[in-house]
Amino acid sequence: MTSSSSPSSLLFVIVGSNEPLFEVDLQASSQPISDAATRQSYFVLHSALDLVERSASNQMYLKIVDKVNQQQVSTFLTAGNIKLMLLHNVHQNKSEEAIRQFFQDVYELYVKFSMNPFYAYDTPIISEAFDTRVRALGRKYLS
Amino acid sequence: MSQFLSNSTILDRPVGRSQRSAEQNVSLSAFSYLFSEMVQYHQNRVDSVSALEHRLEAAGYGVGLKVLELLAYRARDYTRQTKLMNMLQFVSTTAWKALFGKAADSLEKSIDHADEFMIVDYAPITSTSVSVPADLGGLSVDAYISGIIAGMLQGAGFPARVTAHTVEEGDRKKAVFLVKFSASVMSRDATIIG
């Protein structure tokens, strides 16, 4: 893969008010992604954050908020301003409906998880059960 | 080595289909007992009234953040509040009903200050069974509810200072939660159209 082509990646990140709370690579491929590709993916995701902050819509699902080269960032904003963000590639052709379903199911998972009185809101999520289920949702809707 | 008989986690439990599911309700006596224990716990660890109120507010804050997410999810319309008045309506009706079984008695706007609003409740469950001795002066255990309101507003992006006051009205008392929004909230709200 030359350095000019954009990496094919499917990255899902949950971002709180100060820091990322959860990250997972939903790509099913077994080939390891190069370091440069991963850094670029994170950069695109985080620069899209600025655009999310400025959106005034009262809808939670914000669809595609940023497009860089071939990469697109879709975002879902919860009531507490927690951002669920998905980085995907144009070539992957994920339908908006599939992404919406994915976000809605992860949102439900997130709300349930935050009901745990031992989980401090807006802190990193380190539950294995949560991680497994998000990956399962990724396989169900996005592959 | 203990045996875990089930593999279900909190992620499997239902989170409540509607806002009126009766099985979600907790008895007032259970709440009063727990709350009284919590107040006593904090009371033993502070040496001033304001520190006690501060701790109660901090306890309510965490509740507010989570209740906001839960109630927004239960509404099932995947929308969030972006306008100030809508958010205040959400707090004084939807949130109040879910937490206390009825909507707040009134939501008022201050005449003197554009950034101040009042949520009034005639019988807040945190203080109906509480009597404050004279040496604790102006203590209001409703600070817990102030914390809940503050948490909800902060989480939704409307930072505000919330304080609880007991006001005499004729022959009865009412609790007034004074909400003072930060300047950033007021200026942002002026720019949003709709």
Side-chain angles (χ1 to χ4, degrees):
Chain A
M1 196 181 271
T2 67
S3 57
S4 59
S5 72
S6 58
S8 172
S9 52
L10 197 60
L11 208 54
F12 174 67
V13 177
I14 299 182
V15 184
S17 56
N18 295 321
E19 55 178 339
L21 308 180
F22 179 77
E23 297 168 5
V24 70
D25 186 351
L26 297 169
Q27 196 73 20
S29 74
S30 51
Q31 43 176 181
I33 305 173
S34 73
D35 260 350
T38 318
R39 275 200 299 277
Q40 187 185 353
S41 303
Y42 279 108
F43 178 74
V44 171
L45 250 177
H46 287 88
S47 61
L49 272 176
D50 299 328
L51 292 150
V52 173
E53 307 275 336
R54 262 179 257 138
S55 89
S57 158
N58 71 336
Q59 292 299 312
M60 286 185 177
Y61 181 40
L62 298 176
K63 304 184 191 174
I64 294 175
V65 297
D66 196 17
K67 269 190 244 215
V68 172
N69 299 334
Q70 305 295 317
Q71 296 182 302
Q72 303 171 312
V73 178
S74 297
T75 309
F76 184 99
L77 201 54
T78 72
N81 281 323
I82 300 293
K83 306 164 233 333
L84 312 180
M85 303 178 84
L86 184 72
L87 177 76
H88 53 105
N89 217 284
V90 174
H91 305 304
Q92 290 166 344
N93 242 347
K94 305 296 175 196
S95 79
E96 223 173 66
E97 200 39 48
I99 297 180
R100 177 199 296 266
Q101 292 286 348
F102 172 73
F103 275 139
Q104 286 181 354
D105 281 9
V106 176
Y107 174 50
E108 175 174 349
L109 223 51
Y110 171 76
V111 170
K112 287 188 186 180
F113 181 79
S114 62
M115 287 302 109
N116 181 349
F118 295 110
Y119 168 66
Y121 190 78
D122 210 13
T123 56
I125 297 174
I126 49 179
S127 154
E128 242 184 66
F130 186 81
D131 185 271
T132 313
R133 280 167 207 247
V134 172
R135 285 176 194 272
L137 286 175
R139 283 193 298 274
K140 176 175 171 189
Y141 291 115
L142 302 170
S143 63
Chain B
M1 170 89 163
S2 59
Q3 290 277 33
F4 290 103
L5 294 171
S6 95
N7 276 327
S8 81
T9 63
I10 193 175
L11 301 172
D12 296 306
R13 293 174 50 190
V15 79
R17 293 266 129 223
S18 76
Q19 292 165 346
R20 273 176 287 277
S21 19
E23 71 269 12
Q24 310 284 338
N25 292 344
V26 163
S27 76
L28 181 60
S29 45
F31 172 77
S32 300
Y33 177 65
L34 255 180
F35 185 69
S36 122
E37 289 298 317
M38 185 177 83
V39 173
Q40 288 175 55
Y41 172 87
H42 288 304
Q43 196 172 8
N44 290 331
R45 284 163 176 77
V46 299
D47 48 12
S48 75
V49 168
S50 57
L52 176 58
E53 283 191 351
H54 207 76
R55 281 190 173 217
L56 289 175
E57 262 181 50
Y61 189 82
V63 174
L65 288 172
K66 296 188 179 187
V67 157
L68 170 67
E69 290 277 15
L70 179 66
L71 294 179
Y73 172 75
R74 281 204 190 143
R76 312 244 49 161
D77 56 3
Y78 299 103
T79 61
R80 41 187 282 273
Q81 307 305 331
T82 44
K83 289 201 65 58
L84 191 67
M85 279 316 295
N86 294 344
M87 186 62 206
L88 280 171
Q89 291 285 358
F90 179 80
V91 171
S92 60
T93 52
T94 315
W96 229 258
K97 269 192 218 155
L99 291 169
F100 311 121
K102 62 173 184 49
D105 293 301
S106 79
L107 170 64
E108 294 157 14
K109 188 171 153 55
S110 160
I111 305 168
D112 311 310
H113 305 274
D115 57 353
E116 283 182 8
F117 295 81
M118 282 89 65
I119 298 179
V120 178
D121 194 327
Y122 287 110
I125 59 173
T126 44
S127 52
T128 43
S129 39
V130 165
S131 61
V132 182
D135 59 338
L136 287 179
L139 169 71
S140 171
V141 294
D142 297 329
Y144 184 69
I145 299 182
S146 302
I148 296 180
I149 300 172
M152 292 188 71
L153 293 173
Q154 176 78 33
F158 300 90
R161 276 225 56 215
V162 186
T163 45
H165 308 270
T166 314
V167 168
E168 304 257 344
E169 190 187 73
D171 58 347
R172 61 174 177 172
K173 294 198 183 142
K174 61 181 180 180
V176 175
F177 297 98
L178 185 64
V179 180
K180 189 180 176 71
F181 289 100
S182 348
S184 59
V185 174
M186 303 311 295
S187 52
R188 188 187 71 204
D189 203 60
T191 63
I192 296 179
I193 308 158

